[in-house]
Amino acid sequence: MWTITEKQYTNEDGESYTGYGVEFGKCLVEDITPSRTAIQQFADALNRFDASPVHIYEIIENYLAELDAPDCADFPRPCIRKPPGFPAGRFFYLT
C-alpha cells in the first residue's frame, strides 16, 4: 500500500516548507508537492489502481500532467517538484 511521507525542507531562498511524497516498501519518492490535498489524491489513485513501484516516475509524470491548479489553490504559484532524474528544471508548474 502506498503511504504519504511528510518532511520539512528549505528552498533556495532559505524559506522552510513542508514537502509531501509517497512510499511503498523500499520505494520512496520525497518532496513531490507542497500540497497535502494533491498528494492525498495521488496516493489514493496509486492504491486504487494497485500501482507498481517499478513505474512510479512515469506515473508521477502522467499524474502531474493532468493535475488541476485548483488542487493547489493555496499556493501563490502552484507547483509540484520533479522527482530526481527528471530532466530540466526543478518544478512542474500548474496552469
Side-chain angles (χ1 to χ4, degrees), residues 2-3 5-6 8 12 19-20 22 27 31-32 41 46 53 56 58 64 66 68 73 85 89 93-95:
W2 289 95
T3 58
T5 64
E6 179 179 334
Q8 289 300 120
E12 295 84 10
Y20 298 95
V22 291
C27 179
D31 202 17
I32 297 171
Q41 292 172 349
L46 291 174
I56 190 60
E58 290 174 81
L64 296 177
E66 295 177 10
D68 269 339
Y93 287 101
L94 307 174
T95 57

Side-chain angles (χ1 to χ4, degrees), residues 11-66:
N11 67 16
E12 295 84 10
D13 297 325
E15 299 169 341
S16 185
Y17 69 94
T18 302
Y20 298 95
V22 291
E23 152 177 61
F24 184 95
K26 292 183 180 182
C27 179
L28 171 66
V29 183
E30 295 182 306
D31 202 17
I32 297 171
T33 178
S35 171
R36 174 72 183 186
T37 301
I39 203 66
Q40 184 65 59
Q41 292 172 349
F42 183 60
D44 289 347
L46 291 174
N47 288 318
R48 183 172 44 252
F49 296 109
D50 198 25
S52 169
V54 173
H55 303 291
I56 190 60
Y57 290 112
E58 290 174 81
I59 295 168
I60 290 170
E61 183 177 24
N62 291 337
Y63 180 75
L64 296 177
E66 295 177 10

